Amino acid sequence: QVQLVESGGGLVQAGGSLRLSCAASGSIFGTNVMGWYRQAPGNVRELIGSITSDGLTTYADSVKGRFTISRDNAKNTMYLQMNSLKPEDTALYICNVFLVVVTRQYWGQGTQVTVSP
């Protein structure tokens, strides 16, 4: 069983920065992909970026150039550095891990990010 716990959310003014963390407990050894999603009220859950266990990253166009995903495999932790935040970035940010070998995925509970104008 894998548990994911996000932290680092909060209230920030437009133009500001936040760094989110996603700590995984349990076994995520082997090939895996960790991802950050976000969901605003009334909206569908949106994938904003992902990182493989080898460190390859992808980003949604809406955050490209502003957000950076990284991970520390020794700590089983993924990070989301968010810069130049906009009010439209306001959402619940949720992390996910997909374990390739067992084709299983797990979700965290999310951390709220609110960007004021």
Side-chain angles (χ1 to χ4, degrees):
Q1 189 72 11
V2 174
Q3 290 186 324
L4 302 174
V5 179
E6 303 93 336
S7 61
L11 173 65
V12 63
Q13 287 188 327
S17 299
L18 279 175
R19 189 193 194 208
L20 307 184
S21 299
C22 171
S25 62
S27 175
I28 61 167
F29 297 112
T31 303
N32 62 76
V33 182
M34 299 188 78
W36 283 103
Y37 291 73
R38 67 185 180 188
Q39 188 166 19
N43 289 3
V44 298
R45 187 169 293 187
E46 171 192 19
L47 173 64
I48 58 173
S50 63
I51 184 167
T52 69
S53 43
D54 292 333
L56 298 177
T57 55
T58 62
Y59 298 95
D61 287 343
S62 57
V63 305
K64 201 173 291 184
R66 299 188 299 124
F67 291 9
T68 303
I69 296 174
S70 61
R71 63 188 290 170
D72 184 334
N73 289 333
K75 296 181 179 179
N76 278 355
T77 300
M78 174 178 62
Y79 304 96
L80 177 65
Q81 178 66 44
M82 304 186 293
N83 298 327
S84 303
L85 282 162
K86 306 174 182 179
E88 52 263 44
D89 294 318
T90 295
L92 183 68
Y93 283 71
I94 306 160
C95 72
N96 168 280
V97 63
F98 176 70
L99 305 182
V100 174
V101 173
V102 297
T103 61
R104 194 171 295 170
Q105 67 175 340
Y106 299 90
W107 295 90
Q109 294 297 309
T111 184
Q112 179 67 35
V113 172
T114 303
V115 184
S116 62

